[in-house]
Amino acid sequence: MSNLPRKTVKIYSETYKHLEMLSKETGKPILHLVSVIVNTFIENEFVKDFDLEAKTKPINYRDLLTSSLNEQKKELANLMKERTNTIIGFIKTLDKKVESVRRDLIFKIDPDDDRITHPLEYHYDFVIKNIIRLHKVNGLDVDNIFENLKSILSRDEYEFFVKSFNITVSKQIN
């Protein structure tokens, strides 16, 4: 497309005043402004809906932009709140697991320390003592406790019990 001026265009005097004002504010010639307006109409396909008689309301781009930015700000705030809560939940869960591992490690490093004990140490001792008492009450030989349990329990349960028994008696974690 050629950039040479071709013809004279007649427009309303009020429209010309607006074009002059825009020309002064932007520092562009009226010819350039008219070219931008026409190209905008063509590129956005405004020609299909063009009605010369319709009164158009002026568009307040600042209000549109402000409302759009406020909506995006709210969405972003909600997203950040959701992500922050997810991270806080993850950290709380991680802290619980790390605290449990820390206690296990301290117990493993120094099992003679009376101040720090394995969280389930007394529970396991209690269960094992009661199993031994049950054997004695029922007239079973305590020395053959493992043989008696082997006949009662499944193989997996038996192996788990023996492993737990050895860990508890030795006061070690594994």
Side-chain angles (χ1 to χ4, degrees):
M1 181 162 117
S2 172
N3 287 334
L4 298 174
R6 293 284 179 148
K7 295 185 178 184
T8 303
V9 177
K10 291 183 181 182
I11 57 173
Y12 297 113
S13 61
E14 192 67 30
T15 305
Y16 185 76
K17 288 178 187 174
H18 290 298
L19 282 173
E20 276 186 325
M21 182 185 67
L22 286 172
S23 175
K24 286 178 184 173
E25 285 183 14
T26 61
K28 303 285 183 184
I30 294 176
L31 175 67
H32 180 75
L33 293 175
V34 171
S35 177
V36 168
I37 292 168
V38 169
N39 287 336
T40 303
F41 264 74
I42 291 171
E43 289 173 10
N44 293 307
E45 299 179 2
F46 291 146
V47 177
K48 294 177 186 174
D49 300 325
F50 192 67
D51 182 9
L52 288 175
E53 300 302 319
K55 295 253 181 180
T56 57
K57 284 175 111 180
I59 298 173
N60 190 341
Y61 290 105
R62 285 189 179 144
D63 288 346
L64 287 175
L65 183 61
T66 303
S67 65
S68 176
L69 288 175
N70 286 338
E71 288 174 17
Q72 290 178 2
K73 185 178 175 182
K74 287 178 185 175
E75 288 177 18
L76 187 59
N78 289 338
L79 180 65
M80 292 299 292
K81 187 186 301 181
E82 180 183 322
R83 296 295 169 110
T84 302
N85 288 338
T86 302
I87 291 171
I88 288 171
F90 174 75
I91 289 172
K92 284 182 177 181
T93 304
L94 190 62
D95 280 348
K96 288 178 186 175
K97 292 187 185 249
V98 168
E99 179 62 23
S100 173
V101 171
R102 185 188 71 80
R103 286 183 189 155
D104 290 345
L105 287 173
I106 290 173
F107 180 75
K108 189 170 186 173
I109 291 170
D110 190 7
D112 296 330
D113 190 351
D114 292 337
R115 295 174 294 139
I116 302 168
T117 59
H118 189 279
L120 297 176
E121 177 183 347
Y122 298 112
H123 174 73
Y124 287 144
D125 283 340
F126 177 77
V127 169
I128 290 172
K129 286 176 185 174
N130 283 329
I131 289 174
I132 293 171
R133 284 185 190 143
L134 281 172
H135 271 72
K136 287 180 181 177
V137 168
N138 289 324
L140 299 172
D141 187 15
V142 178
D143 295 332
N144 294 332
I145 190 169
F146 292 112
E147 294 300 322
N148 296 334
L149 288 174
K150 193 173 195 177
S151 64
I152 299 170
L153 302 174
S154 69
R155 191 180 105 206
D156 290 338
E157 290 173 326
Y158 173 74
E159 288 175 2
F160 181 76
F161 175 79
V162 170
K163 183 177 177 183
S164 296
F165 179 84
N166 291 334
I167 288 171
T168 305
V169 170
S170 66
K171 305 290 187 221
Q172 293 180 356
I173 293 172
N174 58 7

